[in-house]
Amino acid sequence: MAETVTSAAGAPTESGSSDHVIQVEDLHVHFHTQLGTVRALNGVSFSIPRGKVLGVVGESGCGKSITGLSIMQLVPHPGKILSGRIYFREKAGDRPVDLLTYDRHSPEMHHIRGKNISMIFQEPMTSLNPCYTVGNQIAEAILLHQTPNRNEAKEQAIEILRRVGMPNPERIYNTYPHQLSGGMRQRAMIAMALSCTPVLLIADEPTTALDVTTEAQILDLMRELQAEIGMSIMFVTHNLGVVAQMCDEVAVMYLGRVVERASVDEIFYDPKHPYTQALLRSIPRLGTNRKEHLEVIKGSIPDPYSTLPGCPFHPRCPSFMPGTCDRIVPEETIIAGTVAHSVRCHLYPGSTFVPPSTTESANGAAVS
Ligand SMILES: Nc1ncnc2c1ncn2[C@@H]1O[C@H](COP(=O)(O)OP(=O)(O)OP(=O)(O)O)[C@@H](O)[C@H]1O
Ligand SMILES: [Mg+2]
Protein backbone atom coordinates (compact mmCIF):
# COMPACT_ATOMS: atom_id res chain seq x y z
CA MET A 1 0.00 0.00 0.00
CA ALA A 2 1.52 3.22 -1.14
CA GLU A 3 0.78 5.99 1.26
CA THR A 4 -1.13 6.83 4.33
CA VAL A 5 -3.41 9.72 4.71
CA THR A 6 -3.51 12.59 7.10
CA SER A 7 -6.44 13.62 9.15
CA ALA A 8 -9.03 15.63 7.38
CA ALA A 9 -7.89 18.82 9.02
CA GLY A 10 -7.05 21.27 6.33
CA ALA A 11 -9.33 19.55 3.88
CA PRO A 12 -10.18 21.79 0.97
CA THR A 13 -13.88 21.54 1.63
CA GLU A 14 -14.48 24.00 4.41
CA SER A 15 -17.40 26.16 3.50
CA GLY A 16 -15.96 28.80 5.73
CA SER A 17 -12.91 29.38 3.54
CA SER A 18 -13.58 32.61 1.70
CA ASP A 19 -11.68 31.94 -1.47
CA HIS A 20 -13.97 29.30 -2.94
CA VAL A 21 -16.46 30.62 -5.44
CA ILE A 22 -18.49 27.41 -5.41
CA GLN A 23 -18.52 24.50 -3.04
CA VAL A 24 -20.58 21.42 -3.78
CA GLU A 25 -21.15 19.06 -0.89
CA ASP A 26 -22.60 15.56 -0.95
CA LEU A 27 -24.87 16.17 -3.94
CA HIS A 28 -27.33 13.42 -4.86
CA VAL A 29 -29.37 13.57 -8.07
CA HIS A 30 -31.68 10.78 -9.23
CA PHE A 31 -33.82 10.27 -12.32
CA HIS A 32 -36.94 8.24 -11.63
CA THR A 33 -37.85 6.69 -14.99
CA GLN A 34 -40.20 3.92 -16.06
CA LEU A 35 -37.21 1.59 -16.35
CA GLY A 36 -36.01 2.31 -12.83
CA THR A 37 -33.96 4.86 -10.94
CA VAL A 38 -30.78 6.33 -12.43
CA ARG A 39 -28.49 7.47 -9.64
CA ALA A 40 -26.77 10.16 -11.68
CA LEU A 41 -24.95 11.77 -8.74
CA ASN A 42 -24.12 9.79 -5.59
CA GLY A 43 -22.57 12.29 -3.21
CA VAL A 44 -20.54 14.63 -5.38
CA SER A 45 -18.26 17.00 -3.46
CA PHE A 46 -15.73 19.50 -4.80
CA SER A 47 -14.94 23.18 -4.67
CA ILE A 48 -13.48 25.76 -7.02
CA PRO A 49 -11.08 28.38 -5.69
CA ARG A 50 -11.83 31.93 -6.87
CA GLY A 51 -10.19 32.77 -10.17
CA LYS A 52 -9.12 29.18 -10.83
CA VAL A 53 -10.07 26.63 -13.46
CA LEU A 54 -11.27 23.22 -12.32
CA GLY A 55 -11.19 20.52 -14.99
CA VAL A 56 -13.87 17.83 -14.63
CA VAL A 57 -13.06 14.58 -16.40
CA GLY A 58 -14.43 11.05 -16.55
CA GLU A 59 -16.01 8.59 -18.94
CA SER A 60 -19.33 9.27 -20.63
CA GLY A 61 -22.27 9.03 -18.23
CA CYS A 62 -20.31 9.65 -15.02
CA GLY A 63 -22.35 12.76 -14.17
CA LYS A 64 -20.29 15.72 -15.40
CA SER A 65 -23.14 17.53 -17.16
CA ILE A 66 -25.66 16.79 -14.42
CA THR A 67 -23.25 18.31 -11.89
CA GLY A 68 -23.06 21.52 -13.95
CA LEU A 69 -26.82 21.58 -14.49
CA SER A 70 -27.39 21.07 -10.74
CA ILE A 71 -25.36 24.18 -9.94
CA MET A 72 -27.58 26.11 -12.37
CA GLN A 73 -30.69 24.35 -10.97
CA LEU A 74 -31.50 23.20 -14.50
CA VAL A 75 -31.56 19.43 -14.01
CA PRO A 76 -34.01 18.18 -16.66
CA HIS A 77 -37.21 16.31 -15.84
CA PRO A 78 -37.50 13.64 -14.41
CA GLY A 79 -34.26 14.40 -12.58
CA LYS A 80 -34.44 15.52 -8.95
CA ILE A 81 -31.82 16.95 -6.63
CA LEU A 82 -32.45 14.79 -3.57
CA SER A 83 -29.93 16.26 -1.18
CA GLY A 84 -26.68 18.14 -0.89
CA ARG A 85 -25.49 21.72 -0.63
CA ILE A 86 -24.19 24.08 -3.29
CA TYR A 87 -22.58 27.09 -1.67
CA PHE A 88 -21.95 30.09 -3.87
CA ARG A 89 -19.97 33.14 -2.89
CA GLU A 90 -20.21 36.05 -5.31
CA LYS A 91 -17.32 38.02 -3.82
CA ALA A 92 -14.44 37.00 -1.59
CA GLY A 93 -15.45 37.52 2.02
CA ASP A 94 -19.22 37.24 1.33
CA ARG A 95 -21.17 34.74 3.38
CA PRO A 96 -21.89 31.69 1.25
CA VAL A 97 -25.39 31.19 -0.13
CA ASP A 98 -26.72 27.65 -0.48
CA LEU A 99 -28.27 27.76 -3.96
CA LEU A 100 -30.39 24.71 -3.19
CA THR A 101 -32.44 26.70 -0.69
CA TYR A 102 -33.77 28.75 -3.62
CA ASP A 103 -36.58 27.51 -5.81
CA ARG A 104 -35.31 26.94 -9.36
CA HIS A 105 -37.84 29.53 -10.64
CA SER A 106 -37.14 32.10 -7.91
CA PRO A 107 -36.00 35.66 -8.77
CA GLU A 108 -32.76 34.91 -6.88
CA MET A 109 -31.95 31.97 -9.16
CA HIS A 110 -32.88 34.00 -12.26
CA HIS A 111 -30.49 36.71 -11.12
CA ILE A 112 -27.67 34.27 -10.35
CA ARG A 113 -28.10 32.42 -13.67
CA GLY A 114 -26.65 34.56 -16.38
CA LYS A 115 -25.37 37.36 -14.17
CA ASN A 116 -23.17 35.45 -11.74
CA ILE A 117 -23.01 31.92 -13.08
CA SER A 118 -23.40 31.06 -16.73
CA MET A 119 -23.10 27.81 -18.59
CA ILE A 120 -21.93 26.79 -22.01
CA PHE A 121 -24.11 23.77 -22.66
CA GLN A 122 -22.85 20.56 -24.23
CA GLU A 123 -25.63 20.79 -26.81
CA PRO A 124 -25.70 24.34 -28.28
CA MET A 125 -29.31 24.23 -29.44
CA THR A 126 -30.54 23.76 -25.86
CA SER A 127 -29.63 27.33 -25.00
CA LEU A 128 -30.27 29.14 -28.27
CA ASN A 129 -33.87 30.06 -29.01
CA PRO A 130 -34.62 29.29 -32.68
CA CYS A 131 -37.17 32.13 -32.86
CA TYR A 132 -34.73 35.00 -32.16
CA THR A 133 -31.59 36.15 -33.90
CA VAL A 134 -28.27 35.35 -32.26
CA GLY A 135 -27.55 39.04 -31.68
CA ASN A 136 -30.95 39.63 -30.15
CA GLN A 137 -30.40 36.84 -27.62
CA ILE A 138 -26.96 38.04 -26.59
CA ALA A 139 -28.09 41.69 -26.41
CA GLU A 140 -31.13 40.71 -24.27
CA ALA A 141 -28.83 39.05 -21.75
CA ILE A 142 -26.63 42.16 -21.67
CA LEU A 143 -29.68 44.44 -21.30
CA LEU A 144 -30.95 42.33 -18.43
CA HIS A 145 -27.75 42.34 -16.41
CA GLN A 146 -25.34 45.00 -17.66
CA THR A 147 -26.73 48.12 -19.29
CA PRO A 148 -30.21 49.50 -20.01
CA ASN A 149 -28.95 51.16 -23.23
CA ARG A 150 -29.97 49.20 -26.38
CA ASN A 151 -27.25 50.62 -28.62
CA GLU A 152 -24.57 49.87 -26.07
CA ALA A 153 -25.92 46.34 -25.63
CA LYS A 154 -25.80 45.81 -29.40
CA GLU A 155 -22.21 47.07 -29.59
CA GLN A 156 -21.15 44.82 -26.72
CA ALA A 157 -22.88 41.84 -28.35
CA ILE A 158 -21.09 42.44 -31.66
CA GLU A 159 -17.78 42.84 -29.83
CA ILE A 160 -18.16 39.53 -27.97
CA LEU A 161 -19.13 37.80 -31.26
CA ARG A 162 -15.92 39.18 -32.72
CA ARG A 163 -13.90 37.93 -29.74
CA VAL A 164 -15.17 34.37 -30.15
CA GLY A 165 -13.87 34.45 -33.70
CA MET A 166 -17.13 34.88 -35.65
CA PRO A 167 -16.46 36.03 -39.19
CA ASN A 168 -18.42 39.22 -39.95
CA PRO A 169 -20.03 39.60 -36.50
CA GLU A 170 -22.34 42.44 -37.69
CA ARG A 171 -23.99 39.99 -40.09
CA ILE A 172 -24.05 37.12 -37.57
CA TYR A 173 -25.84 39.48 -35.15
CA ASN A 174 -28.92 39.34 -37.41
CA THR A 175 -28.73 35.61 -38.12
CA TYR A 176 -31.01 32.92 -36.68
CA PRO A 177 -29.36 29.91 -34.96
CA HIS A 178 -30.50 27.43 -37.64
CA GLN A 179 -28.64 29.48 -40.28
CA LEU A 180 -25.31 28.78 -38.56
CA SER A 181 -23.03 25.76 -38.73
CA GLY A 182 -22.65 23.60 -35.60
CA GLY A 183 -19.30 25.19 -34.73
CA MET A 184 -20.70 28.70 -35.23
CA ARG A 185 -23.66 27.89 -33.00
CA GLN A 186 -21.24 26.70 -30.35
CA ARG A 187 -19.33 29.98 -30.63
CA ALA A 188 -22.60 31.97 -30.45
CA MET A 189 -23.44 30.14 -27.24
CA ILE A 190 -19.98 30.77 -25.83
CA ALA A 191 -20.44 34.47 -26.67
CA MET A 192 -23.78 34.48 -24.85
CA ALA A 193 -22.29 32.80 -21.76
CA LEU A 194 -19.32 35.18 -21.66
CA SER A 195 -21.28 38.35 -22.44
CA CYS A 196 -22.25 38.89 -18.82
CA THR A 197 -18.71 38.39 -17.48
CA PRO A 198 -19.88 35.80 -14.93
CA VAL A 199 -18.17 35.07 -11.63
CA LEU A 200 -18.33 31.37 -12.49
CA LEU A 201 -18.47 29.89 -15.96
CA ILE A 202 -19.53 26.27 -16.33
CA ALA A 203 -18.15 25.13 -19.68
CA ASP A 204 -19.51 21.71 -20.63
CA GLU A 205 -17.28 20.42 -23.43
CA PRO A 206 -17.32 23.91 -24.96
CA THR A 207 -15.02 23.27 -27.88
CA THR A 208 -15.92 19.76 -29.06
CA ALA A 209 -17.55 20.92 -32.32
CA LEU A 210 -14.73 23.30 -33.22
CA ASP A 211 -11.66 22.95 -35.41
CA VAL A 212 -8.33 23.14 -33.56
CA THR A 213 -7.60 26.74 -34.59
CA THR A 214 -10.94 28.04 -33.34
CA GLU A 215 -10.62 25.86 -30.25
CA ALA A 216 -7.27 27.47 -29.43
CA GLN A 217 -8.82 30.91 -29.98
CA ILE A 218 -11.73 30.17 -27.62
CA LEU A 219 -9.45 28.73 -24.94
CA ASP A 220 -7.28 31.86 -25.17
CA LEU A 221 -10.36 34.05 -24.83
CA MET A 222 -11.47 32.17 -21.72
CA ARG A 223 -8.04 32.52 -20.19
CA GLU A 224 -8.00 36.25 -21.04
CA LEU A 225 -11.38 36.83 -19.43
CA GLN A 226 -10.31 34.80 -16.48
CA ALA A 227 -7.33 37.08 -15.96
CA GLU A 228 -9.34 40.26 -16.75
CA ILE A 229 -12.33 39.70 -14.49
CA GLY A 230 -11.05 36.95 -12.19
CA MET A 231 -13.63 34.52 -13.56
CA SER A 232 -13.58 30.96 -12.18
CA ILE A 233 -14.28 28.11 -14.59
CA MET A 234 -15.62 24.59 -14.21
CA PHE A 235 -14.29 23.05 -17.40
CA VAL A 236 -15.84 19.73 -18.42
CA THR A 237 -13.86 17.91 -21.07
CA HIS A 238 -12.72 14.54 -22.38
CA ASN A 239 -9.56 16.11 -23.69
CA LEU A 240 -6.73 15.72 -21.19
CA GLY A 241 -4.51 17.92 -23.38
CA VAL A 242 -6.96 20.76 -22.86
CA VAL A 243 -6.95 20.00 -19.12
CA ALA A 244 -3.16 20.36 -19.04
CA GLN A 245 -3.39 23.63 -20.95
CA MET A 246 -6.37 25.24 -19.21
CA CYS A 247 -6.83 23.94 -15.71
CA ASP A 248 -5.33 24.54 -12.28
CA GLU A 249 -7.05 21.63 -10.58
CA VAL A 250 -8.81 18.47 -11.72
CA ALA A 251 -11.76 16.48 -10.39
CA VAL A 252 -12.00 12.95 -11.74
CA MET A 253 -15.55 11.56 -11.72
CA TYR A 254 -16.71 7.99 -11.83
CA LEU A 255 -20.32 6.82 -11.65
CA GLY A 256 -21.71 9.92 -10.00
CA ARG A 257 -18.85 10.56 -7.58
CA VAL A 258 -15.64 12.56 -7.55
CA VAL A 259 -13.06 9.81 -6.98
CA GLU A 260 -9.93 11.98 -7.03
CA ARG A 261 -9.12 15.67 -7.03
CA ALA A 262 -5.79 17.41 -7.04
CA SER A 263 -3.69 19.98 -8.84
CA VAL A 264 -3.11 19.34 -12.55
CA ASP A 265 0.52 18.40 -11.90
CA GLU A 266 -0.38 15.85 -9.24
CA ILE A 267 -3.08 14.29 -11.40
CA PHE A 268 -0.72 13.92 -14.36
CA TYR A 269 2.48 12.97 -12.55
CA ASP A 270 1.25 11.25 -9.39
CA PRO A 271 -2.29 9.97 -9.90
CA LYS A 272 -3.53 7.89 -6.96
CA HIS A 273 -6.86 6.35 -7.91
CA PRO A 274 -6.59 3.26 -10.15
CA TYR A 275 -9.32 4.81 -12.32
CA THR A 276 -7.31 8.03 -12.85
CA GLN A 277 -4.23 5.95 -13.58
CA ALA A 278 -6.15 3.90 -16.15
CA LEU A 279 -7.64 7.05 -17.71
CA LEU A 280 -4.13 8.48 -18.16
CA ARG A 281 -2.79 5.23 -19.63
CA SER A 282 -5.51 5.38 -22.26
CA ILE A 283 -4.25 8.63 -23.83
CA PRO A 284 -1.17 9.14 -26.02
CA ARG A 285 1.78 10.97 -24.46
CA LEU A 286 4.75 12.73 -25.95
CA GLY A 287 7.97 10.78 -25.61
CA THR A 288 6.39 7.32 -25.49
CA ASN A 289 7.24 4.66 -28.04
CA ARG A 290 4.94 5.02 -31.05
CA LYS A 291 4.60 1.27 -31.37
CA GLU A 292 3.29 0.93 -27.81
CA HIS A 293 -0.42 0.23 -27.71
CA LEU A 294 -2.59 2.51 -25.63
CA GLU A 295 -4.39 0.70 -22.85
CA VAL A 296 -8.14 0.51 -22.81
CA ILE A 297 -9.89 0.66 -19.45
CA LYS A 298 -11.11 -2.89 -18.82
CA GLY A 299 -14.90 -3.36 -18.95
CA SER A 300 -17.40 -0.57 -19.19
CA ILE A 301 -19.27 1.73 -16.86
CA PRO A 302 -21.96 -0.32 -15.07
CA ASP A 303 -25.59 0.08 -16.06
CA PRO A 304 -26.75 3.33 -14.40
CA TYR A 305 -29.94 1.63 -13.18
CA SER A 306 -28.02 -0.85 -11.04
CA THR A 307 -26.46 -0.21 -7.64
CA LEU A 308 -23.09 -1.69 -6.81
CA PRO A 309 -21.98 -2.39 -3.26
CA GLY A 310 -18.61 -0.98 -2.20
CA CYS A 311 -16.43 1.05 -4.53
CA PRO A 312 -18.22 1.55 -7.86
CA PHE A 313 -14.95 0.95 -9.76
CA HIS A 314 -14.21 -2.43 -8.14
CA PRO A 315 -15.39 -4.68 -11.05
CA ARG A 316 -12.85 -2.97 -13.36
CA CYS A 317 -10.08 -2.24 -10.88
CA PRO A 318 -6.65 -3.87 -11.31
CA SER A 319 -6.02 -3.41 -7.56
CA PHE A 320 -9.34 -4.94 -6.47
CA MET A 321 -9.23 -6.25 -2.89
CA PRO A 322 -12.00 -8.86 -2.36
CA GLY A 323 -13.97 -8.41 0.82
CA THR A 324 -13.14 -4.72 1.05
CA CYS A 325 -13.63 -3.01 -2.29
CA ASP A 326 -16.83 -4.94 -3.06
CA ARG A 327 -18.33 -4.28 0.37
CA ILE A 328 -17.32 -0.91 1.76
CA VAL A 329 -17.80 2.44 0.05
CA PRO A 330 -14.45 4.28 0.32
CA GLU A 331 -14.57 7.64 2.05
CA GLU A 332 -12.78 10.70 0.75
CA THR A 333 -9.26 10.87 2.17
CA ILE A 334 -6.48 13.43 1.96
CA ILE A 335 -3.10 12.17 0.75
CA ALA A 336 -0.33 12.75 3.26
CA GLY A 337 1.95 15.67 2.55
CA THR A 338 -0.44 17.38 0.16
CA VAL A 339 -2.66 20.36 0.66
CA ALA A 340 -5.58 19.32 -1.45
CA HIS A 341 -5.04 15.94 -3.05
CA SER A 342 -7.97 13.75 -2.11
CA VAL A 343 -8.97 10.30 -3.23
CA ARG A 344 -11.75 7.78 -2.63
CA CYS A 345 -9.99 4.41 -2.65
CA HIS A 346 -9.27 1.65 -0.12
CA LEU A 347 -5.60 1.63 -1.19
CA TYR A 348 -5.23 4.81 0.83
CA PRO A 349 -6.74 4.09 4.23
CA GLY A 350 -5.97 5.93 7.44
CA SER A 351 -7.89 8.47 9.32
CA THR A 352 -9.79 8.49 6.05
CA PHE A 353 -12.73 10.73 6.35
CA VAL A 354 -13.27 14.30 5.16
CA PRO A 355 -16.18 15.31 7.41
CA PRO A 356 -18.97 17.48 6.05
CA SER A 357 -18.21 21.08 6.94
CA THR A 358 -20.18 23.08 9.42
CA THR A 359 -21.14 26.59 8.54
CA GLU A 360 -24.11 28.84 8.45
CA SER A 361 -24.99 30.12 5.03
CA ALA A 362 -26.17 33.64 4.34
CA ASN A 363 -29.67 32.45 3.49
CA GLY A 364 -29.96 30.62 6.79
CA ALA A 365 -29.80 27.13 5.35
CA ALA A 366 -29.55 24.38 7.90
CA VAL A 367 -26.20 22.87 7.16
CA SER A 368 -24.50 20.09 8.99
N1 LIG B 1 -33.01 13.02 -18.86
C1 LIG B 1 -32.45 11.95 -18.31
N2 LIG B 1 -33.19 10.85 -17.99
C2 LIG B 1 -32.61 9.77 -17.41
N3 LIG B 1 -31.30 9.67 -17.12
C3 LIG B 1 -30.52 10.71 -17.42
C4 LIG B 1 -31.04 11.91 -18.04
N4 LIG B 1 -30.01 12.79 -18.22
C5 LIG B 1 -28.90 12.16 -17.74
N5 LIG B 1 -29.21 10.94 -17.26
C6 LIG B 1 -28.27 9.96 -16.67
O1 LIG B 1 -27.47 10.61 -15.71
C7 LIG B 1 -26.16 10.06 -15.74
C8 LIG B 1 -25.15 11.19 -15.86
O2 LIG B 1 -25.33 11.82 -17.11
P1 LIG B 1 -24.45 13.06 -17.60
O3 LIG B 1 -25.15 13.65 -18.77
O4 LIG B 1 -24.16 13.95 -16.46
O5 LIG B 1 -23.10 12.33 -18.07
P2 LIG B 1 -21.75 12.99 -18.61
O6 LIG B 1 -20.67 12.64 -17.65
O7 LIG B 1 -22.00 14.44 -18.87
O8 LIG B 1 -21.53 12.18 -19.96
P3 LIG B 1 -20.96 12.69 -21.40
O9 LIG B 1 -19.47 12.68 -21.27
O10 LIG B 1 -21.45 11.64 -22.34
O11 LIG B 1 -21.54 14.04 -21.68
C9 LIG B 1 -26.11 9.07 -16.90
O12 LIG B 1 -26.23 7.77 -16.39
C10 LIG B 1 -27.32 9.43 -17.72
O13 LIG B 1 -27.84 8.30 -18.35
MG1 LIG C 1 -22.09 15.58 -20.59
Side-chain angles (χ1 to χ4, degrees):
M1 245 170 246
E3 287 174 53
T4 53
V5 287
T6 61
S7 82
T13 54
E14 290 161 15
S15 302
S17 61
S18 58
D19 57 348
H20 287 115
V21 67
I22 201 91
Q23 177 150 5
V24 175
E25 289 181 359
D26 202 24
L27 188 62
H28 292 257
V29 176
H30 289 183
F31 286 85
H32 295 290
T33 71
Q34 283 181 337
L35 296 172
T37 299
V38 179
R39 289 164 176 80
L41 303 186
N42 286 307
V44 166
S45 300
F46 66 90
S47 53
I48 308 180
R50 188 170 303 278
K52 300 284 182 198
V53 183
L54 175 81
V56 180
V57 300
E59 281 166 293
S60 185
C62 67
K64 304 181 295 295
S65 296
I66 297 299
T67 302
L69 291 167
S70 299
I71 294 174
M72 298 288 278
Q73 287 225 41
L74 291 176
V75 173
H77 179 78
K80 280 224 156 53
I81 299 178
L82 297 188
S83 59
R85 296 164 291 273
I86 301 177
Y87 295 112
F88 171 67
R89 213 184 236 114
E90 186 179 342
K91 292 194 257 349
D94 282 0
R95 289 180 81 193
V97 173
D98 182 0
L99 300 181
L100 294 185
T101 56
Y102 294 137
D103 184 84
R104 64 190 291 169
H105 301 295
S106 64
E108 287 88 355
M109 264 331 282
H110 278 297
H111 176 77
I112 285 168
R113 262 185 240 123
K115 170 85 179 86
N116 289 325
I117 308 179
S118 53
M119 182 158 177
I120 300 171
F121 295 88
Q122 190 170 7
E123 172 42 62
M125 280 314 271
T126 50
S127 67
L128 291 172
N129 189 328
C131 305
Y132 295 94
T133 64
V134 165
N136 195 302
Q137 295 181 57
I138 300 175
E140 275 308 312
I142 295 172
L143 277 171
L144 202 61
H145 298 296
Q146 305 236 67
T147 169
N149 184 317
R150 286 208 163 262
N151 289 339
E152 241 175 65
K154 181 174 180 182
E155 270 170 34
Q156 282 186 32
I158 290 173
E159 177 52 26
I160 191 79
L161 284 170
R162 187 183 332 272
R163 290 186 77 177
V164 296
M166 284 287 204
N168 198 344
E170 288 82 5
R171 186 179 62 78
I172 299 289
Y173 186 90
N174 293 312
T175 307
Y176 288 88
H178 71 271
Q179 296 171 313
L180 301 176
S181 71
M184 287 165 105
R185 276 203 286 266
Q186 199 161 24
R187 271 181 280 171
M189 195 179 50
I190 292 169
M192 195 151 86
L194 295 177
S195 62
C196 293
T197 55
V199 177
L200 172 67
L201 174 70
I202 301 169
D204 191 355
E205 303 196 34
T207 55
T208 38
L210 303 179
D211 59 88
V212 283
T213 321
T214 314
E215 178 178 50
Q217 210 175 346
I218 297 290
L219 296 181
D220 281 350
L221 174 63
M222 283 187 193
R223 272 288 189 194
E224 260 170 48
L225 279 177
Q226 197 212 348
E228 244 172 62
I229 60 170
M231 180 172 75
S232 311
I233 306 177
M234 174 179 156
F235 200 104
V236 176
T237 180
H238 285 277
N239 187 334
L240 292 172
V242 171
V243 169
Q245 185 190 343
M246 280 294 288
C247 303
D248 302 292
E249 295 181 6
V250 184
V252 180
M253 289 189 72
Y254 188 77
L255 217 64
R257 287 192 183 94
V258 173
V259 294
E260 182 164 7
R261 58 199 170 114
S263 68
V264 169
D265 280 356
E266 279 178 84
I267 288 288
F268 276 96
Y269 297 111
D270 193 17
K272 297 294 182 196
H273 200 287
Y275 177 63
T276 313
Q277 293 166 357
L279 210 57
L280 288 164
R281 281 197 300 270
S282 67
I283 56 158
R285 286 186 173 223
L286 278 177
T288 50
N289 186 344
R290 274 205 211 169
K291 287 185 186 150
E292 263 177 34
H293 287 288
L294 291 173
E295 277 184 42
V296 180
I297 304 179
K298 189 180 75 169
S300 50
I301 289 195
D303 166 18
Y305 293 94
S306 63
T307 45
L308 276 177
C311 169
F313 189 58
H314 81 259
R316 305 170 75 189
C317 184
S319 308
F320 170 56
M321 296 180 285
T324 303
C325 301
D326 51 356
R327 290 181 56 190
I328 306 164
V329 178
E331 298 286 2
E332 186 181 11
T333 58
I334 305 292
I335 301 292
T338 68
V339 183
H341 190 160
S342 71
V343 67
R344 277 177 179 264
C345 175
H346 291 301
L347 291 173
Y348 309 93
S351 42
T352 58
F353 185 43
V354 178
S357 56
T358 309
T359 189
E360 199 191 315
S361 63
N363 45 354
V367 287
S368 58

